[in-house]
Amino acid sequence: MAEKNGIVASVIETVKTIVYALLIAGVFRTLFFQPFWIPSGSMKDTLLIGDFLFVNKMAYGYSYASCPSILIPALGVDIGADDFCGMFEDSDDRLFGSDPERGDVVVFRHPVTGRDFIKRLIGLPGERIQVVDGQLFINDEAVPQVEAGIFSEIMEPQGSGRQRPQCFNGAVGDGAECIKQKFVETLPGGISHDILNIGNRALDNTGVFTVPEDHFFFMGDNRDNSTDSRVAQVAGGVGFVPRKDIVGRADRVIFSSAGRSMLAFWTWRGDRFFEKVE
């Protein structure tokens, strides 16, 4: 009997340890940092498919979107921040809140689907945003772009989604060089970052977007391969992103793998470990 009681006590202690560990991890993820894998090429060459980073949730304060979301398709797990903190979703206030700055690379919840997105902040509340022949205009002023050579990669399936890149040099076969034009864009305020060009695409010319109060306008650095604020939510895009849907700021790549799994060590990109996101 004593042995049986000892086993039961051991099991209880193990369960308690697991529960405490999960609670601590949940609090840490909610208040401080959230892990994020880059699933697509929309932010090349700033972020590559397979980059792993921690999102700094302290940067802009907290809203319902700061609560963790858990997506594990293989196990059928799809828990959103609104499942944990939906009672706060209608509030526009952010605890200890501050607005992101133009040029920040920001993770936010898609206003319709609730999926986490990562893009660069381009337009602030009240501003007018337009793209004409691939040139970004903010408040009717052209944002300077300077040619910076090419971005080159191998045509092959990338990441767990096995996506193939799009190329400025047209359709190329697997193993061939896929190139994109690269420019350095300097936003108002002096933040400079790379952008990529694949060719003449529909989103190279847009109407004028006037950013509403308490909303922001985001774009991907891989301009011709990004679903962002240039596409309305009703058309499957991001549209204007409310302040309450902002999760945090991407500051640094922690780890990077070009393969389907982080366990495939021969695909690790060691030169990207701990690289600052700019």
Side-chain angles (χ1 to χ4, degrees):
M1 178 65 71
E3 181 179 353
K4 183 177 180 180
N5 290 338
I7 293 174
V8 171
S10 178
V11 170
I12 292 174
E13 285 302 314
T14 300
V15 171
K16 287 169 62 177
T17 299
I18 293 173
V19 170
Y20 291 152
L22 290 174
L23 287 174
I24 292 171
V27 170
F28 183 85
R29 182 171 176 176
T30 300
L31 296 180
F32 302 111
F33 298 98
Q34 175 177 314
F36 190 87
W37 281 99
I38 302 300
S40 75
S42 68
M43 283 296 292
K44 292 179 180 177
D45 63 345
T46 303
L47 297 170
L48 304 181
I49 295 176
D51 282 350
F52 176 78
L53 49 87
F54 282 105
V55 180
N56 181 357
K57 290 189 172 184
M58 298 177 287
Y60 311 128
Y62 306 96
S63 72
Y64 88 98
S66 303
C67 289
S69 56
I70 304 172
L71 177 63
I72 310 176
L75 300 179
V77 177
D78 186 359
I79 303 174
D82 50 339
D83 294 314
F84 288 111
C85 302
M87 71 287 292
F88 303 116
E89 187 173 358
D90 293 332
S91 174
D92 291 328
D93 295 329
R94 298 184 68 87
L95 183 64
F96 309 121
S98 63
D99 280 348
E101 298 180 1
R102 192 196 318 275
D104 285 357
V105 177
V106 177
V107 171
F108 57 87
R109 282 174 54 83
H110 189 288
V112 176
T113 68
R115 294 284 183 254
D116 286 342
F117 271 54
I118 185 166
K119 306 290 179 186
R120 190 177 299 275
L121 176 56
I122 298 296
L124 304 176
E127 292 186 331
R128 298 182 304 280
I129 310 297
Q130 186 176 23
V131 180
V132 179
D133 294 330
Q135 175 84 52
L136 174 64
F137 286 77
I138 298 178
N139 293 330
D140 307 318
E141 295 288 336
V143 175
Q145 295 178 359
V146 178
E147 292 186 17
I150 64 170
F151 172 76
S152 175
E153 56 187 337
I154 300 300
M155 172 57 74
E156 61 184 357
Q158 298 179 349
S160 59
R162 314 311 287 157
Q163 302 174 28
R164 283 180 165 80
Q166 300 181 45
C167 315
F168 181 79
N169 53 327
V172 300
D174 280 1
E177 183 182 30
C178 172
I179 66 172
K180 300 173 179 61
Q181 292 179 315
K182 183 163 70 172
F183 298 85
V184 174
E185 182 176 81
T186 302
L187 297 168
I191 296 295
S192 295
H193 62 100
D194 291 348
I195 60 171
L196 302 182
N197 175 55
I198 298 171
N200 295 322
R201 301 297 172 97
L203 293 180
D204 284 339
N205 289 278
T206 72
V208 177
F209 301 95
T210 301
V211 186
E213 183 180 0
D214 294 324
H215 288 70
F216 299 92
F217 191 96
F218 290 91
M219 294 175 67
D221 291 348
N222 191 2
R223 291 284 165 84
D224 293 330
N225 190 25
S226 175
T227 300
D228 50 39
S229 292
R230 290 172 293 176
V231 181
Q233 294 165 11
V234 294
V238 171
F240 302 119
V241 177
R243 177 180 284 108
K244 66 180 181 179
D245 285 333
I246 290 174
V247 175
R249 185 180 65 215
D251 290 333
R252 193 172 297 273
V253 174
I254 303 301
F255 172 85
S256 184
S257 173
R260 299 184 66 172
S261 168
M262 65 180 295
L263 300 179
F265 62 88
W266 58 90
T267 67
W268 292 357
R269 307 182 184 105
D271 60 329
R272 294 189 63 78
F273 288 14
F274 304 106
E275 182 174 287
K276 186 177 180 181
V277 177
E278 296 179 321

